Amino acid sequence: MTRSHSIAVLPGDGIGPEVVSCALQVLDAAEARHGFTTERREYAAGAGHYLETGELFAAVEEELRDADAILFGSMGDPRVTPGILERGFILEMRQRFQQAANVRPVRLYPGVPTPIADLTPERCELVIVRENTEGAYVGRGSTVHAGTPHAVAMQESLNTRAGIERVVDFSFRLALGRRRRLTLCHKTNILVAAGQLWQQVVAELGERYPEVEVDYVHVDAMCFHLPLTPERFDVVVTDNLFGDIITDLGAVIQGGLGVATSANLNLDGTAPSMFEAIHGSAPDIAGTGTANPAGAILSLALMLGHLGEGEAARAVEAATVEVLGGLPALAGPAMGLSTGEIGSRIADLVRSGEASAELVPDSLLGTLAALPASRR
Ligand code: IPM
Ligand code: MG
């Protein structure tokens, strides 16, 4: 029987629909070549839908829950007050579906320009695992004397042992399938309470994984080491806010937000995982055909790995890398090809099976293999 997967598609706002449509075209090609099918359901979500209906994540939660995986475009629009969609949809989904680990590979692909002089693909192949449901992202806090010169703002960061354990354990397993090195990134010298709990958990779980070498780097020092000596890192595990910040830095190192991608993984099979490019909705260039769809297509590759379609995942990544390596620039009109043309080229390569698998570093196989299986 043909393997089949049910996928919820949320194109969202701005450039989201354009890049997701490229990813779906590549998915068609992958299905034709690799012998599986998907049943796709598209959902209206994002700024336009919110402005019309007032609906946020709660309106689709139950329907999305049944999907094997979620493919997400981007969300955000200048007409909606900043924070409403971020908290009411994106963070709500990560929390309600307990997408505990935000896996963000930082890979410099062959032929892709990086602003870091002399950096080579061999030296830049790491994965950042960001805790995705807690920390400062719980949105707890309070304001007293608002609007007066004595205004007081308290913003809390929540850190639970269970929340840290699940993401640290996942990171150890990921490291086992790769170069066997795990780095905790935090700020233990200042955020002492949270830092101690993170360090304790890493030390305790580390005893179960004696093959993995454990390392620690402060988040400020990470901003120094990551661009200059990325080869020092294999898997980096960190809290929600630090992860948000250092993965943008990681994206710059690997050529920009247009190529960076992520998997928001539910680790216990109770709800679907979600796959998205790291870039935002970029409303200023929406509809101009100048967005790079690579980030969205690489998130499709991660999704395929998660669904157990490892061969298709590698083929999609290899085809994307081949096309990316031939572009004169990674963003804007200077790319020389439109969003749709890049998508079609990648889809054609996937369909013909002609992309060179050598373009994909081996360690991605470990990354994909360690992703927890989808719910079916
Ligand atoms: C990201 C984004 C989100 C975050 C925003 C859009 C809420 O920056 O996925 O990194 O802060 O997590
Ligand atoms: Mg971010």
Side-chain angles (χ1 to χ4, degrees):
M1 216 177 79
T2 317
R3 299 180 303 280
S4 176
H5 312 285
S6 74
I7 293 163
V9 181
L10 290 121
D13 303 315
I15 59 171
E18 302 162 45
V19 295
V20 164
S21 124
C22 293
L24 293 177
Q25 202 188 333
V26 175
L27 179 57
D28 288 336
E31 290 180 25
R33 177 91 199 172
H34 296 277
F36 65 94
T37 59
T38 58
E39 189 192 304
R40 304 171 203 171
R41 272 190 175 211
E42 199 168 303
Y43 294 87
H49 187 71
Y50 170 73
L51 289 169
E52 263 170 47
T53 63
E55 286 176 358
L56 289 164
F57 179 70
V60 283
E61 175 173 350
E62 285 320 310
E63 278 191 75
L64 292 184
R65 214 174 254 288
D66 293 334
D68 292 330
I70 301 169
L71 191 64
F72 187 88
S74 56
M75 223 171 249
D77 184 299
R79 293 171 298 164
V80 178
T81 311
I84 291 186
L85 296 166
E86 288 88 336
R87 289 198 307 275
F89 207 103
I90 301 175
L91 301 194
E92 199 60 17
M93 165 151 42
R94 291 175 183 170
Q95 288 178 4
R96 297 285 305 166
F97 286 172
Q98 289 293 300
Q99 292 161 346
N102 193 326
V103 177
R104 298 187 159 183
V106 180
R107 284 195 300 270
L108 177 62
Y109 289 119
V112 170
T114 166
I116 311 299
D118 304 328
L119 187 60
T120 55
E122 300 71 45
R123 288 178 49 217
C124 183
E125 208 292 300
L126 62 123
V127 182
I128 298 176
V129 181
R130 162 185 176 188
E131 198 291 319
N132 211 28
T133 60
E134 303 190 342
Y137 276 68
V138 292
R140 292 292 155 81
S142 58
T143 308
V144 186
H145 306 312
T148 77
H150 303 285
V152 178
M154 302 268 284
Q155 192 74 52
E156 295 161 15
S157 168
L158 181 92
N159 296 263
T160 70
R161 176 174 271 273
I164 301 170
E165 273 178 1
R166 62 183 178 182
V167 75
V168 168
D169 187 68
F170 169 76
S171 302
F172 270 114
R173 284 187 285 128
L174 190 55
L176 262 189
R178 295 172 41 93
R179 299 195 305 277
R180 303 192 166 186
R181 188 177 176 92
L182 179 67
T183 305
L184 169 63
C185 169
H186 207 278
K187 186 74 182 172
T188 54
N189 52 347
I190 300 298
L191 304 184
V192 178
Q196 272 176 0
L197 190 54
W198 274 87
Q199 273 189 314
Q200 265 169 24
V201 170
V202 170
E204 281 174 29
L205 291 189
E207 289 179 16
R208 293 188 212 156
Y209 299 94
E211 310 89 333
V212 179
E213 190 186 340
V214 177
D215 187 19
Y216 172 80
V217 173
H218 285 320
V219 66
D220 49 346
M222 182 57 85
C223 294
F224 171 87
H225 292 301
L226 199 54
L228 297 181
T229 49
E231 64 271 31
R232 177 178 168 157
F233 305 108
D234 176 19
V235 177
V236 175
V237 66
T238 190
D239 95 339
N240 209 338
L241 184 57
F242 296 145
D244 179 45
I245 297 166
I246 64 171
T247 55
D248 268 28
L249 178 59
V252 168
I253 298 167
Q254 61 180 333
L257 282 169
V259 298
T261 189
S262 70
N264 295 257
L265 297 178
N266 170 297
L267 298 175
D268 55 18
T270 52
S273 297
M274 183 263 276
F275 300 81
E276 59 172 339
I278 293 190
H279 61 66
S281 57
D284 50 326
I285 60 160
T288 63
T290 56
N292 191 332
I297 297 173
L298 291 169
S299 73
L300 168 73
L302 284 171
M303 187 184 85
L304 290 172
H306 173 72
L307 292 169
E309 301 294 344
E311 201 183 292
R314 286 192 290 279
V316 169
E317 191 185 29
T320 309
V321 175
E322 187 154 329
V323 173
L324 271 184
L327 295 178
L330 290 184
M335 290 192 301
L337 294 177
S338 69
T339 309
E341 284 165 344
I342 296 175
S344 305
R345 282 205 188 183
I346 295 172
D348 288 347
L349 271 176
V350 169
R351 193 170 276 110
S352 69
E354 274 164 15
S356 162
E358 280 159 33
L359 289 171
V360 180
D362 278 354
S363 44
L364 175 70
L365 312 189
T367 305
L368 293 177
L371 295 181
S374 73
R375 292 187 296 154
R376 281 209 278 174

